[in-house]
Amino acid sequence: NFSKIKNKSILITGASGIIGTYMVETLYNLNEKINFKVYIQHRNKLPNHLKKVLRKKNFISLKFDLSKIANLKKIPKTDFIIHLAGYGQPIKFTKKNLDTLTLNTTVTMYLLNNLNKKGSFLYASSSEIYNGAIKKSLKENIMGQVSPYTNRSSYIYSKLTGETIVGIFNENGVNAKSARISMAYGPGTKKDDFRVINQIISKGINNKVIDLLDDGSALRPFCYISDTVEVLWKILFEGREKVYNVGNSKLTSILDLSKLVSE
């Protein structure tokens, strides 16, 4: 039910990523039915498939690097904020450790303080926070165990800190929630996305041998992008808890995934 955004303003950070793309597309398709204003924050040039939205007067581009603190003053106050900005690929967040920390902590706090009164906030956390957890069934009250000195620690601990910030605002009466997103995949993935499912699909498309770095026993909750986005909208509008897992309840091994793509 999108009636809650009628005559409201919405900010989507990281709008050019795969999840941001689908959330922007959702609003684009609603454009003729409901009146609202959308601010699309993106660091690089918008991909071709999103340029059409800027032909609508109520879709406004905010092109700048959100990890640079000086740019935060360019963010308008809005009624809804969906904070997706960040580096989700290990190959990128391990090289951009400080930017990753800033986007998930300082920027998250600034955005929450910039939310209009009685507004709603959704923070994109990650299932990566379960890294090191022993149990295969991951409930929201389970925590992983990771050294703060590994190359992935800036991502994992900043996501947890971001959740903590969101939780504190929630306890103080702000409608703010976190979503631990798991391995969203589907159309709209960029060619330079090096996450495992995209590497395997890319090799399959290019008729290359799908070679694995290990025995492929690692389990992942891959979730189709439109399913992921549908759940995120539902959490934003109807969620009552501080944090939610967003992913497939079925775990798939990397080996089985490779076989499916091969077939």
Side-chain angles (χ1 to χ4, degrees), residues 237-254:
F237 295 141
E238 301 176 18
R240 297 179 181 275
E241 304 296 333
K242 291 180 184 177
V243 62
Y244 290 87
N245 280 330
V246 179
N248 195 335
S249 58
K250 179 185 176 183
L251 297 174
T252 303
S253 74
I254 304 300

Side-chain angles (χ1 to χ4, degrees), residues 17 19 26 38 48 51 60-61 70 83 98 108 127 129 139 146 152 161 163 175-176 205 209 213 221 227 237 245 261:
I19 294 175
T26 304
V38 186
N48 290 332
K51 288 180 180 177
I60 300 161
S61 169
H83 184 22
L98 292 177
T108 299
S127 62
I129 65 106
K139 303 294 184 182
V146 176
R152 300 171 87 96
T161 305
E163 285 190 21
N175 186 4
I205 289 172
V209 173
L213 300 177
D227 296 326
F237 295 141
N245 280 330
V261 173

Side-chain angles (χ1 to χ4, degrees), residues 36 68 103 130-131 151 182 191 209 216 235:
F36 51 81
K68 308 305 179 190
L103 287 166
Y130 295 118
N131 202 310
N151 62 351
S182 301
K191 289 184 178 180
V209 173
I235 294 170

Side-chain angles (χ1 to χ4, degrees), residues 85-104:
Y87 300 94
Q89 299 182 54
I91 197 170
K92 290 187 176 181
F93 65 65
T94 53
K95 293 180 179 178
K96 296 279 188 178
N97 288 323
L98 292 177
D99 287 352
T100 296
L101 286 164
T102 301
L103 287 166
N104 287 311

